[in-house]
Amino acid sequence: MAFARLLESKAHLIPGKFAVNELFFEVPKDYGNPERGTIQLFARSVSRYEKPTTVISEEERRKKSMKPWFVYLQGGPGFQCSPPQNSSITNAVLDKGYQMLYLDQRGTGLSTPISAATLALQGDSNRQADYLKLFRADSIVKDCEAIRRTLTDEYPTELKKWSVFGQSFGGFCVLTYLSKYPHGLREAFTSGGLAPIGQSPEAVYKATFKKVAERNKAYYKKYPEDVDAVHGLAFHIKSKGGLKLPSGGILTVRGFLTLGRHFGAHGGLDSVHDLVLRMKRDLEQFQFVTRPTLSALESAVSFDDNVLYAILHEAVYCENEASNWAADRVGKTLREFQWLSQSPQSPSSVREAPLFFSGEMIYPFLFDIFPELERMAPVADIIASYAGWGELYDTWQLARNEVPLYAATFIDDMYVDYGFAQETAKLVKNCKQYITNSMYHDAIRSKTEGVMKELFALRDDSID
């Protein structure tokens, strides 16, 4: 495994007694073919700033700085890390004696970000697709290993391994890490991140659509007035041929009904209701939806600022097979989501069949209604039909895993199916779980203290 070349490091003190370093690295674009060139990665390291009471030597300072590393891998794919001072787990981890590394995974944040314009630099659609194939978990963990080797090069042997934490898709990356480079890990943590190992994309979406339907029922039970409101808004949007969004995109009925992707988070039902209420009140007062409401809607449904998520979302489930727009195909077979292939029902059927919102699924029509995604539609189709994806997990290695894995698992997770998560847990030796039905998928952000307390208890406590 290659070392990452450290290109730049800038140190800053941030309120909260955080010593933050902004780090830029250079790594191979394609580890299997280094001649294809390099990309840049960005990460922020953070440790607790401690002002010495007396003057210390440079050697003493260097030794004090050699704390064990704890790496945070963001969910996604396609989302960057927040600055350490804005991340809810920073203090909990630093208080345990670690220094942290927040890595923007390749293609996100400042790590050679993917957009329609930057992707176009690769050439035609086929070249763009070939480039995007290098942005899955297998490449991400190679980046991690290259950076680990660089940052710990002068560390004593006992500190060369590091700890890794994966939220959601970041947890998928952790399982890939355990499969391919366990020698680099001291311990691993996940939150809502036990990937559905061995499951096809179709199986994943059949399971998650069921949970989405449950969350729709919970939504309409909490906000029964929205049964009529959502139907009314759908017919308004249809009558106008879609609503033009501030960025130039068009909010269609189907686009509107993807708001349900927020149902799986704490407060998600309430945030969707707030948007429905705002739209309804706008129409009652002005007979049109106002710009502030349209801006809020666009922020809630568009992936134009996170295109990697839209393009690679189904690919994260693929090993030696194509996804072929699995969510779209599965959804169209389900009665509750027939709007994927036809217009909403007539007003007379509202009471019997409220319109169900979709979850985090990605559909081909999204590449028709949002400007940035529209420019990338041809490459998205190539990715969806690609069947040559390599294996992400090594079940033989996971069954012999010696790296402790501590996982927070949520029974009512709308995004990572609980049943599949339990099957995965059985595949991984030395996996301990904190399982709860009182938290949702985003608990590491919404219920940080509770999750971190339980994860560290799994590590530090004994049940006997």
Side-chain angles (χ1 to χ4, degrees):
M1 173 60 66
F3 280 75
R5 187 161 74 95
L6 181 61
L7 300 176
E8 183 179 330
S9 175
K10 299 289 186 182
H12 305 280
L13 291 181
I14 304 295
K17 296 193 293 185
F18 297 133
V20 175
N21 280 282
E22 298 167 346
L23 307 168
F24 286 91
F25 301 92
E26 184 179 78
V27 298
K29 180 192 305 183
D30 181 353
Y31 286 87
N33 184 8
E35 294 182 359
R36 292 184 66 178
T38 60
I39 60 173
Q40 290 189 12
L41 301 178
F42 174 72
R44 292 182 177 93
S45 68
V46 57
S47 58
R48 188 75 73 197
Y49 174 67
E50 300 171 355
K51 188 174 182 179
T53 54
T54 59
V55 177
I56 63 174
S57 68
E58 180 62 24
E59 179 63 17
E60 289 176 306
R61 186 202 63 75
R62 189 180 70 84
K63 288 183 178 179
K64 284 177 66 71
S65 70
M66 287 185 178
K67 297 178 179 179
W69 281 102
F70 188 106
V71 184
Y72 183 81
L73 295 177
Q74 179 63 281
F79 291 93
Q80 66 196 63
C81 286
S82 299
Q85 66 271 23
N86 296 338
S87 178
S88 56
I89 76 167
T90 300
N91 280 309
V93 174
L94 296 186
D95 287 345
K96 290 291 184 178
Y98 299 96
Q99 59 182 328
M100 288 192 72
L101 187 75
Y102 285 95
L103 172 66
D104 284 353
Q105 297 161 21
R106 54 169 55 201
T108 75
L110 297 180
S111 292
T112 316
I114 297 290
S115 67
T118 63
L119 190 59
L121 298 175
Q122 300 300 318
D124 63 21
S125 295
N126 287 306
R127 289 180 177 273
Q128 292 176 35
D130 287 341
Y131 181 64
L132 289 172
K133 294 168 188 174
L134 303 172
F135 286 77
R136 292 203 310 162
D138 47 356
S139 294
I140 292 169
V141 299
K142 289 174 183 175
D143 291 338
C144 290
E145 266 302 277
I147 291 173
R148 182 189 66 83
R149 294 187 66 187
T150 297
L151 291 181
T152 64
D153 186 35
E154 298 182 1
Y155 277 44
T157 302
E158 66 271 16
L159 292 178
K160 284 188 178 293
K161 293 184 179 184
W162 61 12
S163 305
V164 63
F165 186 108
Q167 152 65 11
S168 189
F169 170 72
F172 294 19
C173 294
V174 167
L175 290 167
T176 301
Y177 212 146
L178 290 170
S179 295
K180 298 180 181 294
Y181 305 103
H183 57 269
L185 299 177
R186 175 188 304 107
E187 59 191 353
F189 302 83
T190 64
S191 180
L194 290 181
I197 293 178
Q199 302 296 332
S200 68
E202 290 83 0
V204 168
Y205 290 116
K206 286 177 181 177
T208 52
F209 265 117
K210 289 180 182 178
K211 185 59 69 175
V212 172
E214 290 178 14
R215 296 300 290 157
N216 271 275
K217 292 173 183 176
Y219 174 75
Y220 285 119
K221 182 178 180 180
K222 184 172 186 177
Y223 296 108
E225 67 273 25
D226 284 0
V227 173
D228 291 320
V230 170
H231 263 278
L233 293 172
F235 281 105
H236 172 77
I237 294 169
K238 183 180 179 183
S239 72
K240 297 295 183 180
L243 306 181
K244 189 171 183 179
L245 297 169
S247 71
I250 301 296
L251 183 69
T252 61
V253 173
R254 292 189 298 181
F256 168 63
L257 291 175
T258 65
L259 275 173
R261 70 177 62 131
H262 300 283
F263 282 171
H266 287 275
L269 304 184
D270 309 312
S271 65
V272 173
H273 168 71
D274 179 65
L275 289 169
V276 169
L277 180 62
R278 289 176 63 174
M279 294 177 73
K280 179 182 175 184
R281 295 301 295 174
D282 280 356
L283 292 176
E284 289 174 353
Q285 293 180 77
F286 310 114
Q287 291 74 57
F288 61 87
V289 180
T290 63
R291 181 186 173 91
T293 300
L294 290 172
S295 293
L297 282 164
E298 183 170 53
S299 177
V301 300
S302 174
F303 287 110
D304 272 359
D305 291 333
N306 302 99
V307 295
L308 203 58
Y309 181 96
I311 294 179
L312 291 184
H313 185 263
E314 294 197 350
V316 305
Y317 301 115
C318 294
E319 294 180 291
N320 302 309
E321 65 178 323
S323 73
N324 289 317
W325 299 111
D328 190 60
R329 291 186 288 108
V330 171
K332 287 175 178 177
T333 68
L334 303 174
R335 177 179 55 82
E336 299 94 335
F337 301 96
Q338 284 301 298
W339 54 262
L340 284 167
S341 54
Q342 62 188 43
S343 298
Q345 298 153 316
S346 64
S348 63
S349 64
V350 167
R351 290 296 179 188
E352 291 74 24
L355 275 174
F356 273 24
F357 291 90
S358 176
E360 69 165 351
M361 297 77 178
I362 298 296
Y363 307 105
F365 69 77
L366 294 173
F367 291 83
D368 298 328
I369 62 177
F370 298 119
E372 190 81 354
L373 292 187
E374 188 174 5
R375 296 170 60 187
M376 307 172 80
V379 70
D381 279 329
I382 295 172
I383 292 293
S385 63
Y386 179 66
W389 299 110
E391 294 184 353
L392 296 169
Y393 312 107
D394 183 338
T395 55
W396 186 92
Q397 175 60 42
L398 292 175
R400 291 156 180 78
N401 174 56
E402 296 298 331
V403 180
L405 171 61
Y406 309 106
T409 306
F410 312 112
I411 293 174
D412 293 316
D413 197 321
M414 194 181 84
Y415 311 106
V416 179
D417 180 71
Y418 172 72
F420 289 156
Q422 293 315 292
E423 292 181 22
T424 293
K426 294 175 183 177
L427 296 175
V428 185
K429 183 182 176 183
N430 285 313
C431 174
K432 292 183 179 180
Q433 292 185 85
Y434 164 63
I435 300 174
T436 180
N437 63 355
S438 64
M439 297 181 186
Y440 292 126
H441 183 77
D442 70 327
I444 193 60
R445 292 186 294 272
S446 302
K447 308 284 184 179
T448 307
E449 183 178 354
V451 174
M452 296 306 293
K453 176 184 176 182
E454 296 294 343
L455 286 175
F456 281 128
L458 288 177
R459 186 193 68 175
D460 300 335
D461 205 353
S462 171
I463 63 173
D464 289 320

